[in-house]
Amino acid sequence: MGNHVLGLEEIDQTQVAVVGGKGAHLGELSRIEGVQVPAGFCVTTEAFRRIVEDAPSIDGLLDRLSRLDPDDREAIRAGSAQVRQALEGVAVPDDVAAAVTGALARLGEDAPCAVRSSATAEDLPGASFAGQQDTYLNVVGPAEVLRHVSRCWASLFTERAVTYRLRNGFDHREVHMAVVVQRMVFPEASGVLFTADPVTSNRKVATVEACFGLGEALVSGLVNADSYTVRDDEVVAKAVATKEVALVAAPDGGTREQAVEPARRERPALTDEQAVRLVRLGRRIEAHFGRPQDIEWCLVDDGFRIVQSRPITTLFPIPEAADRDNHVYVSVGHQQMMTDAMKPLGLSLWQMTTPRPMAEAGGRLFVDVTRLLGSPAGRAAFLGVAGKSDPLMGDALRTLLDRDGFVPALPQDSPVQAVPGAEPVGIEADPALVTELIQRGEESIAALARDIRGKSGTRLLDFILADLPELKRILFDPRSHDVIMAGMQAAWWLNERLLEWLGEKNAADALSQSVPHNVTSEMGLALLDVADVIRPHPQVVAFLRDVEDDDFLDRLDGLDGGREARDAIVGYLDKYGMRCVGEIDITRPRWSERPTMLLPLLLSNIRNLEPGAGARRFEQGRQEAWKKEQDVLERLRALPDGERKAEETKRKIDLVRTFSGYREYPKYGMVSRYFLYKRALLEEAERLVRAGVLGEREDVYFLRFEELREVVRTGRADEGLIRRRKDAFRSYQALTPPRVLTSDGEALTGAYRRDDLPPGALVGLPVSAGTVEGRARVILDMATADVEPGDILVTAHTDPSWSPLFVAIAGLVTEVGGLMTHGAVVAREYGLPAVVGVEGATRLIRDGQRIRVNGTDGYVELVEAT
């Protein structure tokens, strides 16, 4: 057979480079006991390479193709068509043709065949290329098979495939095409089996879709399919569709649609017994490959043939547990307003910072709350706090608890974990307490900056390990916790009582404007002051507009007003430069490392705001809060028992005004510390690169802290491990973490369950009162933010680094968030109407569309149709 053709029985999954993803998977499938795969062979990538070498014109065409811009659709259309024509036009070399004809004779000279393309970059975990290549059915005779093999080779250069590669940086020459040729199966029924539920991700539930005739009809959406849900060897749900047509083999080759006779239309394509048997087969395949599979199958004479199996790439991974019991996990990222994937160094440092161990999955962190939910007292306390701060998480947990026996009940007398925030805190509003806590934090950071200098090698890593208890001491100081909780509880009290007494919704929002000591809000206002310094100097403004690289600060000096501009920016970075998007992950680039990230925002402030806007904003908010306070107290005094009510309310308002700003400080302290660690670790990484231990500085991000310490100690790194971690991280970036996840892999989103909304409104959680109408700006990356006054920011999540943008907008909508997450706290303080936790907001709201945000009742209306 030579090296141009391999029989399926000779192939296993290690041969992707030779037979492509589909071919390797099929070869591997045919080795699993009890799995029947239609007989066939692969035309290898070696044959494809031969063709490309034989046709010199193709080489030049590929060169031209690789230089195209992925957005230039016209050029891609023309360039890809030329390559396809060249490939289909080249005669197949004699030795390749002879090998294919010989392999066909073994299948049966005129046996109808299915010819499928199998690319080397398809069906790989993490790259879902569905439908990027072609399938031809019922191809008869050597000449036709060869013609379709050429067509498969050409399909590597469809416009979609070419654009995909240009976008994702795949080299057109690195992708090769093999072709699978199999004997055609003419099934009574066929379809798809998912060994995990594709909607809920539950690994214990399998879904079968079935139709009469060939399964391509189902995959292409031509027919409605029956669907079966199977759990524990039992069909637990079934929906039978009306199947009016089936796809069957046409006598002269190819396929055709055929009407299903009326009596069979409502009949299920599979019996329940067959569906259960198919799922058992699927479980065997899943066990062999070690991950859930999406399987295409055919039913012939009551036996199943498997024609394709690939991993389901959209499932969120399950945290590893030490036992086989049921577990319930809640997402840490949703509480931190940062649901992006984190790199291993970031994960491990955060794990070393938190008081209790967290589970990891998909580059995200989760807390196992199974024990907490198992005891009645713990459950009530946790649902109270979680449900208040993130109703979607609360609802998802309730859904789970309503199921019989998923969460194991603990004996009545077992110890209950304390739930932060469930117990009332009794402290008075004392501003000195806040200033003392802040001063202590700043002194500790100054000491760290002094002591970490000059440390390197294992001494540096041991020094950081020894400093972590100090970080924790400050971060989890009981007094610090009391200040934060006292502010939060006072706000909850005000919202509940003033609604009851005065009919005021979310009254605490207006009372929280411009509170002192909120380091995150100050950061937004301070950038307005930087804008004031630069605005009078047109030369500097023009220079900043064209800046592309991060060393621009050194080039400011020669400009008129440049030195003042540089001092203002450097001064800002000294205080806030350790912040960035996703800052809880130490590996994310900080503003000090990439100051260009702040420029769009700074320029927008210079363009859109008047001098002195920072101080004016703060003062205006303070006045509004003061007026609100006077108004509320006056109305309370007019009520029965009014003096007592007013007095109690005044005490709570003082707690909110004194303590709620501090809520942002502990994280600022933590991130400041992280940045000092990071600078020292990157210097160490530079040394490792110079010593030839690491390929590039950023490789340290893919090692956990302990592993990095070993690399520093031994001077040896595992390149394979770093490469695998980079690949894994890339695949995690494409996933969306669920708010609540179970050990069965089920992802629960939760729902608001509200029926008081205007028709068509998007529902969310009201976190900052007021209503505003304006132009939606859907912004996923803060570094590209270009906003005008009156715009409403729509984004996935806002950790503290987004707050400088808040001074420039009129309202806020996010997909993630709760009452006390950073975006909510800062929005209240700036008096911005805000709705968070709006599922799919960045998809459902179009950039530029007019929307109305109701931050009092928690919904968003689309004023213009999309």
Side-chain angles (χ1 to χ4, degrees):
M1 273 177 155
N3 52 2
H4 297 313
V5 170
L6 285 174
L8 282 183
E9 66 289 347
E10 303 174 70
I11 296 168
D12 63 33
Q13 62 186 357
T14 60
Q15 290 162 280
V16 175
V18 186
V19 295
K22 206 170 288 179
H25 240 73
L26 279 170
E28 189 69 30
L29 273 169
S30 62
R31 294 164 174 255
I32 305 173
E33 192 167 333
V35 174
Q36 291 187 289
V37 175
F41 59 89
C42 274
V43 183
T44 64
T45 52
E46 205 44 56
F48 175 71
R49 252 186 229 108
R50 257 305 289 291
I51 296 290
V52 176
E53 280 162 19
D54 277 13
S57 63
I58 293 178
D59 211 40
L61 291 174
L62 287 183
D63 262 353
R64 255 198 312 222
L65 210 51
S66 62
R67 287 199 292 273
L68 295 180
D69 172 352
D71 294 315
D72 189 346
R73 308 231 323 245
E74 263 318 300
I76 289 175
R77 185 174 299 147
S80 58
Q82 285 177 309
V83 178
R84 288 198 304 276
Q85 278 158 359
L87 278 170
E88 286 188 46
V90 172
V92 177
D94 290 347
D95 52 343
V96 176
V100 172
T101 311
L104 270 176
R106 279 185 287 282
L107 287 184
E109 182 81 25
D110 285 325
C113 290
V115 180
R116 290 187 166 90
S117 56
S118 174
T120 51
E122 183 200 16
D123 293 344
L124 303 179
S128 195
F129 271 80
Q132 293 225 348
Q133 275 92 27
D134 294 339
T135 292
Y136 302 101
L137 300 177
N138 199 24
V139 180
V140 182
E144 277 300 285
V145 168
L146 282 169
R147 191 167 71 83
H148 284 87
V149 166
S150 291
R151 285 178 71 178
C152 282
W153 286 334
S155 76
L156 201 48
F157 296 95
T158 59
E159 283 164 49
R160 211 177 122 194
V162 167
T163 309
Y164 181 89
R165 288 197 292 271
L166 287 172
R167 279 234 153 82
N168 292 285
F170 289 117
D171 182 345
H172 293 301
R173 290 165 199 282
E174 291 304 306
V175 192
H176 296 296
M177 178 66 84
V179 182
V180 177
V181 180
Q182 280 174 292
R183 185 184 285 147
M184 231 354 240
V185 175
F186 298 104
E188 290 110 63
S190 49
V192 186
L193 155 65
F194 296 97
T195 64
D197 186 324
V199 180
T200 67
S201 300
N202 193 327
R203 311 298 203 269
K204 291 194 173 161
V205 173
T207 309
V208 176
E209 294 187 342
C211 64
F212 291 131
L214 292 163
E216 312 304 317
L218 188 154
V219 178
S220 64
L222 174 70
V223 300
N224 296 331
D226 298 341
S227 79
Y228 304 77
T229 305
V230 178
R231 183 178 185 133
D232 300 331
D233 281 348
E234 187 189 351
V235 175
V236 291
K238 173 161 81 172
V240 178
T242 305
K243 297 171 286 296
E244 299 191 351
V245 291
L247 199 63
V248 297
D252 52 352
T255 56
R256 65 184 179 89
E257 289 175 39
Q258 185 178 47
V260 174
E261 52 270 29
R264 284 179 66 218
R265 284 178 188 176
E266 308 282 341
R267 217 177 315 146
L270 294 178
T271 64
D272 285 10
E273 180 275 326
Q274 287 172 327
V276 168
R277 185 154 38 105
L278 173 61
V279 169
R280 278 193 202 143
L281 193 59
R283 293 272 175 241
R284 187 177 289 182
I285 294 171
E286 173 184 69
H288 181 87
F289 287 114
R291 52 190 294 181
Q293 299 285 307
D294 156 359
I295 297 167
E296 291 174 29
W297 55 270
C298 301
L299 177 70
V300 185
D301 303 329
D302 197 37
F304 287 102
R305 304 277 189 285
I306 303 299
V307 289
Q308 162 92 291
S309 177
R310 52 177 170 236
I312 305 177
T313 54
T314 53
L315 298 176
F316 199 84
I318 306 174
E320 280 179 26
D323 54 39
R324 304 295 301 275
D325 301 341
N326 287 348
H327 290 268
V328 181
Y329 303 97
V330 298
S331 155
V332 173
H334 284 80
Q335 291 145 44
Q336 291 294 335
M337 277 299 248
M338 201 315 259
T339 52
D340 298 344
M342 292 169 71
K343 298 191 181 89
L345 185 64
L347 286 167
S348 69
L349 196 71
W350 179 253
Q351 288 271 32
M352 290 154 75
T353 308
T354 56
R356 60 168 168 219
M358 292 180 174
E360 286 179 24
R364 279 48 167 220
L365 291 158
F366 294 87
V367 176
D368 185 337
V369 292
T370 321
R371 278 189 71 82
L372 204 51
L373 296 173
S375 77
R379 176 186 320 161
F382 183 63
L383 283 176
V385 174
K388 193 176 290 181
S389 104
D390 184 346
L392 289 178
M393 190 176 277
D395 184 73
L397 290 168
R398 277 186 209 98
T399 305
L400 212 49
L401 289 163
D402 288 345
R403 291 188 197 156
D404 286 346
F406 186 83
V407 176
L410 295 174
Q412 285 294 347
D413 54 356
S414 45
V416 177
Q417 282 172 294
V419 175
E423 288 304 308
V425 176
I427 53 174
E428 288 306 307
D430 175 7
L433 184 52
V434 174
T435 43
E436 186 198 332
L437 285 168
I438 289 177
Q439 190 183 343
R440 230 195 41 184
E442 290 184 342
E443 284 167 2
S444 173
I445 285 161
L448 170 65
R450 198 177 52 240
D451 299 343
I452 201 168
R453 265 194 214 114
K455 303 264 190 307
S456 65
T458 44
R459 274 187 61 218
L460 169 66
L461 283 105
D462 292 340
F463 173 81
I464 292 175
L465 279 175
D467 184 70
L468 283 167
E470 172 70 359
L471 165 58
K472 287 177 161 178
R473 187 177 70 82
I474 291 177
L475 196 53
F476 305 114
D477 181 332
R479 291 186 310 161
S480 186
H481 174 262
D482 285 352
V483 164
I484 292 172
M485 286 323 303
M488 275 163 75
Q489 288 169 355
W492 292 339
W493 186 94
L494 287 167
N495 283 337
E496 280 163 24
R497 289 294 183 281
L498 297 182
L499 181 61
E500 182 191 328
W501 293 337
L502 301 175
E504 282 259 354
K505 272 189 189 166
N506 299 358
D509 293 0
L511 296 163
S512 309
Q513 292 186 71
S514 298
V515 294
H517 299 302
N518 184 326
V519 64
T520 308
S521 316
E522 287 163 4
M523 169 168 89
L525 299 173
L527 197 62
L528 296 178
D529 299 342
V530 177
D532 287 351
V533 173
I534 298 174
R535 196 180 288 108
H537 303 292
Q539 219 181 356
V540 175
V541 176
F543 168 78
L544 292 178
R545 267 201 208 109
D546 294 334
V547 159
E548 284 187 0
D549 44 37
D550 287 304
D551 57 1
F552 68 90
L553 287 168
D554 305 335
R555 303 206 303 275
L556 278 167
D557 279 6
L559 304 173
D560 181 28
R563 177 145 311 155
E564 295 88 326
R566 193 187 64 176
D567 291 348
I569 296 173
V570 168
Y572 184 84
L573 291 174
D574 282 345
K575 180 141 197 211
Y576 305 110
M578 77 296 286
R579 311 220 83 156
C580 67
V581 171
E583 62 189 12
I584 63 173
D585 179 352
I586 192 175
T587 70
R588 296 285 282 261
R590 310 282 137 179
W591 291 342
S592 285
E593 297 172 303
R594 290 215 194 135
T596 43
M597 296 197 282
L598 284 172
L599 290 180
L601 218 49
L602 182 57
L603 288 163
S604 136
N605 288 346
I606 290 170
R607 189 172 67 238
N608 297 322
L609 296 166
E610 300 293 313
R616 227 181 10 260
R617 282 274 168 112
F618 189 78
E619 191 46 40
Q620 185 188 338
R622 227 173 47 113
Q623 295 286 343
E624 281 173 22
W626 187 80
K627 278 200 208 95
K628 183 74 182 172
E629 179 178 331
Q630 300 314 309
D631 167 59
V632 163
L633 295 176
E634 198 176 311
R635 284 159 61 199
L636 285 173
R637 289 192 189 104
L639 298 175
D641 197 15
E643 276 308 322
R644 182 189 61 79
K645 286 174 178 157
E647 207 172 297
E648 225 180 323
T649 300
K650 171 71 175 135
R651 231 189 6 262
K652 298 293 184 189
I653 292 175
D654 288 348
L655 281 169
V656 168
R657 305 250 355 132
T658 309
F659 289 157
S660 64
Y662 177 76
R663 151 79 174 73
E664 294 290 302
Y665 194 82
K667 191 170 192 183
Y668 171 78
M670 178 192 87
V671 173
S672 301
R673 244 185 160 77
Y674 272 14
F675 187 45
L676 290 169
Y677 296 164
K678 181 182 190 180
R679 283 209 296 221
L681 288 171
L682 284 178
E683 282 173 25
E684 192 56 39
E686 302 269 9
R687 280 191 282 275
L688 291 168
V689 172
R690 283 197 298 273
V693 177
L694 293 176
E696 54 181 9
R697 194 176 74 151
E698 276 72 27
D699 284 353
V700 294
Y701 295 163
F702 295 93
L703 297 168
R704 299 183 77 84
F705 192 86
E706 281 303 322
E707 294 166 343
L708 175 56
R709 190 180 177 284
E710 266 313 274
V711 168
V712 169
R713 193 180 67 78
T714 59
R716 279 203 304 279
D718 179 345
E719 279 174 43
L721 175 74
I722 292 171
R723 200 173 49 247
R724 286 193 299 280
R725 294 251 175 96
K726 285 180 178 176
D727 290 343
F729 177 72
R730 257 200 302 279
S731 73
Y732 297 154
Q733 280 179 301
L735 301 174
T736 306
R739 279 183 170 76
V740 175
L741 180 66
T742 73
S743 44
D744 288 351
E746 184 176 359
L748 292 105
T749 336
Y752 285 103
R753 310 197 188 281
R754 288 174 46 187
D755 44 18
D756 56 344
L757 300 174
L762 310 179
V763 61
L765 178 68
V767 295
S768 183
T771 300
V772 63
E773 187 176 312
R775 178 178 72 149
R777 293 309 319 273
V778 180
I779 296 172
L780 294 174
D781 175 3
M782 194 185 111
T784 62
D786 177 19
V787 292
E788 299 289 332
D791 283 351
I792 296 168
L793 171 63
V794 180
T795 187
H797 45 75
T798 55
D799 63 2
S801 66
W802 285 75
S803 43
L805 195 56
F806 288 12
V807 297
I809 56 173
L812 172 69
V813 178
T814 69
E815 295 180 337
V816 170
L819 263 179
M820 293 313 295
T821 46
H822 301 277
V825 174
V826 178
R828 287 196 284 276
E829 200 178 310
Y830 285 164
L832 279 183
V835 181
V836 302
V838 181
E839 282 289 295
T842 58
R843 214 178 50 247
L844 299 167
I845 298 171
R846 197 186 66 239
D847 187 44
Q849 188 175 12
R850 279 195 80 72
I851 61 173
R852 190 180 303 118
V853 176
N854 186 324
T856 311
D857 293 315
Y859 58 83
V860 179
E861 293 173 279
L862 309 178
V863 181
E864 323 176 283
T866 44

